[in-house]
Short mmCIF file of all heavy atoms in Angstrom, two decimals:
data_model
loop_
_atom_site.label_atom_id
_atom_site.label_comp_id
_atom_site.label_asym_id
_atom_site.label_seq_id
_atom_site.Cartn_x
_atom_site.Cartn_y
_atom_site.Cartn_z
N GLU A 18 0.87 -14.66 6.20
CA GLU A 18 1.35 -14.92 7.65
C GLU A 18 0.37 -15.93 8.37
O GLU A 18 -0.85 -15.67 8.34
CB GLU A 18 1.48 -13.69 8.42
CG GLU A 18 1.67 -13.69 9.82
CD GLU A 18 2.87 -14.41 10.21
OE1 GLU A 18 4.08 -13.82 10.03
OE2 GLU A 18 2.91 -15.69 10.68
N ASP A 19 0.86 -17.07 8.86
CA ASP A 19 -0.02 -18.04 9.37
C ASP A 19 -0.31 -17.69 11.00
O ASP A 19 -1.19 -18.41 11.43
CB ASP A 19 0.47 -19.37 9.29
CG ASP A 19 1.90 -19.53 9.95
OD1 ASP A 19 2.74 -18.82 9.65
OD2 ASP A 19 2.08 -20.59 10.63
N ASP A 20 0.52 -16.95 11.52
CA ASP A 20 0.32 -16.69 13.02
C ASP A 20 -0.75 -15.51 13.12
O ASP A 20 -0.68 -14.52 12.80
CB ASP A 20 1.68 -16.11 13.60
CG ASP A 20 1.56 -15.81 15.07
OD1 ASP A 20 0.49 -15.57 15.51
OD2 ASP A 20 2.69 -15.73 15.64
N ASP A 62 5.75 -14.11 5.29
CA ASP A 62 6.32 -14.90 6.33
C ASP A 62 7.08 -16.08 5.64
O ASP A 62 6.46 -16.85 4.84
CB ASP A 62 5.31 -15.35 7.33
CG ASP A 62 5.91 -16.35 8.49
OD1 ASP A 62 7.04 -16.11 8.85
OD2 ASP A 62 5.10 -17.18 8.93
N LEU A 63 8.20 -16.54 6.09
CA LEU A 63 8.97 -17.68 5.34
C LEU A 63 8.49 -19.00 5.97
O LEU A 63 8.38 -19.94 5.29
CB LEU A 63 10.50 -17.55 5.47
CG LEU A 63 11.12 -16.41 4.64
CD1 LEU A 63 12.57 -16.54 4.74
CD2 LEU A 63 10.68 -16.53 3.23
N GLY A 64 8.08 -19.01 7.17
CA GLY A 64 7.57 -20.30 7.87
C GLY A 64 6.03 -20.40 7.72
O GLY A 64 5.27 -19.98 8.64
N LEU A 65 5.56 -21.02 6.64
CA LEU A 65 4.18 -21.21 6.51
C LEU A 65 3.84 -22.68 6.53
O LEU A 65 4.80 -23.49 6.22
CB LEU A 65 3.71 -20.59 5.14
CG LEU A 65 3.94 -19.11 5.03
CD1 LEU A 65 3.74 -18.64 3.55
CD2 LEU A 65 2.88 -18.35 5.82
N LYS A 112 11.93 -11.62 13.16
CA LYS A 112 10.99 -11.62 14.22
C LYS A 112 11.77 -11.88 15.51
O LYS A 112 12.74 -12.63 15.58
CB LYS A 112 9.99 -12.85 14.02
CG LYS A 112 9.04 -12.63 12.92
CD LYS A 112 8.21 -13.93 12.89
CE LYS A 112 7.30 -13.85 11.64
NZ LYS A 112 6.39 -15.08 11.66
CA1 LIG B 305 4.87 -18.68 10.49
#
Side-chain angles (χ1 to χ4, degrees):
E18 167 62 74
D19 60 312
D20 180 336
D62 178 32
L63 289 187
L65 293 168
K112 292 181 183 180

